[in-house]
């Protein structure tokens, strides 16, 4: 066995975390965990994983659920397209594969929401196929261990990293190999504070020798953040308030929110009154109160949100037919962006 792989396996056998999805060969549960853990910390992801397994113990149970129920369980995890794709893929598995999870890399890769990394993770963990799983942790670890400065966000460079991993995984247990490589990146070769003193492969680490750790991994692209200005209206009427379903290809598709007016800059009270009467056709003379301001940061967007309260005496009429009334209990069953759920909790 390659000495580097040997050291990593030894370290992993003593230090690998005992996570529920590591104790199963069920491809459905492995897939669930992989999708939940994209963009999510393990501690938060674990609670969602358990909730999903409890509510949908099989892929057919997930396929038979309504999208609303899936989105509601996903509430708070963000990146809701993951939940929609999970549901779509479960339905494909039910109809095309008769409820049996596909057992080869190519078919797994065809499912919605599954990229090369996830297909490799499922193939190796559930079926012991030697596909290296290259996630952000592994990119960082490999780029430092071998002092590779090819940018990790350039798709053409992926083959450089894959070539290294393909050689290392050869003749190894692919499930242990992939888990151990990811765990090294997550627990030892961390982004800002790599624990080189306690690293089992420090003697082999090229970046440590060359003093290049802080420069690796190289990324070329800068993340551009778009500022958006959201004005949410809490229209307080009788024992409830008004909500609408988000439609269109944008964040939080198909989730429910308070009626929204999006603007190009922050609106003051007279501007919001004008916008309300124009867009929603409720009386512009209605008293309006600014209740709360929240900055909500997503990966590519910063939402500057203002929550306004209106208390109409008469039932308001809306131009937009999608705005519906809900009482103060019913809305809890709906899938809401966490921003809205937190605001309603505050009320
Ligand atoms: Fe990462 Fe440091 Fe180990 Fe090198 S020695 S692989 S930089 S933790």
């Amino acid at each position: 066995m390659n000495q580097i792989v040997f050291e990593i396996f030894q370290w992993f056998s003593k230090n690998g975390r005992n996570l529920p999805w590591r104790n199963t060969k069920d491809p459905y549960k492995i897939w669930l965990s992989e999708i939940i853990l994209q963009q999510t910390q393990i501690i938060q992801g674990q609670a969602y994983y358990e909730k999903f397994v409890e509510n949908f113990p099989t892929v057919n149970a997930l396929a038979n659920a309504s999208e609303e129920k899936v989105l509601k369980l996903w509430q708070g995890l963000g990146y809701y397209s993951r939940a929609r794709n999970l549901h779509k893929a479960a339905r494909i598995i039910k109809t095309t594969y008769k409820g049996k999870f596909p057992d080869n890399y190519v078919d797994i890769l065809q499912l919605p929401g599954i990229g090369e990394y996830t297909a490799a993770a499922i193939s190796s963990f559930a079926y012991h196929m030697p596909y290296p799983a290259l996630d952000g942790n592994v990119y960082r670890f490999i780029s430092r261990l071998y002092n590779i400065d090819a940018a990790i966000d350039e798709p053409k460079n992926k083959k450089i990293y894959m070539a290294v991993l393909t050689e290392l995984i050869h003749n190894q247990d692919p499930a242990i190999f992939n888990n151990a490589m990811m765990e090294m990146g997550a627990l030892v070769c961390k982004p800002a504070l790599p624990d080189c003193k306690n690293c089992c492969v420090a003697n082999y680490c090229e970046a440590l020798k060359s003093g290049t750790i802080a420069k690796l991994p190289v990324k070329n692209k800068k993340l551009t953040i778009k500022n958006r200005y959201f004005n949410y209206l809490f229209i307080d009427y009788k024992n409830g308030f008004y909500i609408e379903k988000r439609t269109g290809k944008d964040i939080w598709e198909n989730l429910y929110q308070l009626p929204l007016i999006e603007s190009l800059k922050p609106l003051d009270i007279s501007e919001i009154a004008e916008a309300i009467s124009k867009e929603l056709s409720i009386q512009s003379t209605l008293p309006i109160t600014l209740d709360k301001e929240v900055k909500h940061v997503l990966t590519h967007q910063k939402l500057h949100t203002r929550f306004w309260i209106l208390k109409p005496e008469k039932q308001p009429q809306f131009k937009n037919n999608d705005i519906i009334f809900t009482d103060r209990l019913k809305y809890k069953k709906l899938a809401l962006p966490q921003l809205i759920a937190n605001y309603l909790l505050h009320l």
Side-chain angles (χ1 to χ4, degrees):
M1 185 189 266
N2 172 305
Q3 195 58 31
I4 290 180
V5 176
F6 175 79
E7 299 290 351
I8 294 170
F9 274 34
Q10 292 283 102
W11 171 85
F12 181 68
S13 68
K14 291 187 203 116
N15 300 286
R17 287 167 292 183
N18 184 21
L19 302 168
W21 47 87
R22 289 211 175 125
N23 301 323
T24 179
K25 293 280 165 215
D26 180 345
Y28 165 64
K29 290 183 183 155
I30 292 166
W31 169 53
L32 258 185
S33 71
E34 287 299 333
I35 301 297
I36 288 172
L37 291 178
Q38 289 166 7
Q39 326 278 351
T40 304
Q41 291 188 323
I42 291 223
I43 194 121
Q44 188 194 16
Q46 191 163 338
Y48 279 84
Y49 170 79
E50 279 155 12
K51 207 160 62 164
F52 264 77
V53 170
E54 193 187 318
N55 279 272
F56 312 122
T58 62
V59 72
N60 280 332
L62 176 60
N64 292 337
S66 67
E67 188 186 76
E68 299 243 335
K69 179 158 186 205
V70 176
L71 290 173
K72 181 67 192 165
L73 274 190
W74 196 268
Q75 186 174 305
L77 258 188
Y79 297 95
Y80 288 83
S81 57
R82 290 183 291 166
R84 282 189 293 272
N85 281 331
L86 201 63
H87 191 227
K88 259 188 236 157
R91 293 194 161 176
I92 293 173
I93 294 169
K94 184 184 167 194
T95 49
T96 311
Y97 299 98
K98 301 197 167 62
K100 193 175 166 300
F101 206 95
D103 61 3
N104 66 81
Y105 178 86
V106 175
D107 287 345
I108 295 171
L109 191 58
Q110 300 304 315
L111 295 169
I114 295 194
E116 289 175 5
Y117 160 75
T118 309
I122 299 168
S123 304
S124 62
F125 299 154
Y127 304 118
H128 279 266
M129 293 172 184
Y131 288 95
L134 181 52
D135 71 350
N137 285 325
V138 178
Y139 260 123
R140 182 174 60 254
F141 176 45
I142 292 294
S143 90
R144 288 174 175 167
L145 186 57
Y146 293 97
N147 205 17
I148 304 172
D149 62 1
I152 62 169
D153 53 357
E154 288 290 346
K156 68 174 172 19
N157 292 338
K158 188 173 182 185
K159 59 178 182 303
I160 300 172
Y161 292 89
M162 281 305 266
V164 174
L165 288 169
T166 304
E167 199 176 321
L168 292 176
I169 203 172
H170 182 64
N171 279 343
Q172 308 297 340
D173 179 318
I176 299 179
F177 179 87
N178 281 335
N179 268 318
M181 297 303 276
M182 288 194 262
E183 202 76 329
M184 277 299 292
L187 300 183
V188 183
C189 197
K190 291 184 276 192
L193 280 176
D195 188 5
C196 303
K197 274 196 191 128
N198 295 307
C199 176
C200 62
V201 288
N203 286 341
Y204 307 90
C205 180
E206 299 291 336
L208 186 62
K209 268 185 228 154
S210 322
T212 49
I213 296 172
K215 294 188 188 136
L216 298 172
V218 171
K219 283 187 191 166
N220 278 347
K221 292 176 199 136
K222 281 219 172 81
L223 197 65
T224 48
I225 305 269
K226 183 178 168 194
N227 285 298
R228 297 176 76 177
Y229 301 90
F230 280 12
N231 296 278
Y232 280 118
L233 308 178
F234 183 79
I235 306 168
D236 188 359
Y237 183 67
K238 291 202 169 155
N239 255 337
F241 55 94
Y242 288 84
I243 51 168
E244 64 182 0
K245 194 174 188 176
R246 281 184 75 84
T247 52
K249 291 276 162 233
D250 196 355
I251 53 168
W252 304 330
E253 187 187 342
N254 292 351
L255 269 64
Y256 287 87
Q257 63 179 7
L258 297 171
L260 169 69
I261 294 176
E262 185 170 357
S263 52
L264 296 174
K265 61 176 189 60
L267 298 184
D268 63 24
I269 203 146
S270 59
E271 289 167 319
I272 190 73
E274 194 186 325
I276 289 171
S277 61
K278 226 199 271 164
E279 295 199 25
L280 300 181
S281 81
I282 44 182
Q283 312 129 264
S284 56
T285 50
L286 208 61
I288 300 167
T289 321
L290 174 59
D291 183 41
K292 207 170 184 320
E293 290 189 68
V294 180
K295 282 202 178 72
H296 191 77
V297 182
L298 304 169
T299 313
H300 296 280
Q301 304 188 17
K302 193 180 207 179
L303 309 181
H304 305 260
T305 57
R306 288 186 170 174
F307 290 90
W308 304 87
I309 295 184
L310 290 84
K311 291 189 185 200
E313 276 163 19
K314 283 193 283 182
Q315 186 171 12
Q317 302 298 317
F318 300 103
K319 283 182 193 162
N320 177 352
N321 290 335
D322 296 334
I323 297 178
I324 52 169
F325 182 78
T326 180
D327 69 31
R328 285 174 189 258
L329 289 177
K330 249 196 232 155
Y331 86 87
K332 292 188 176 166
K333 295 201 179 107
L334 302 172
L336 311 164
Q338 200 56 30
L339 172 73
I340 302 295
N342 289 345
Y343 176 72
L344 293 172
L345 214 60
H346 134 95
L347 279 182

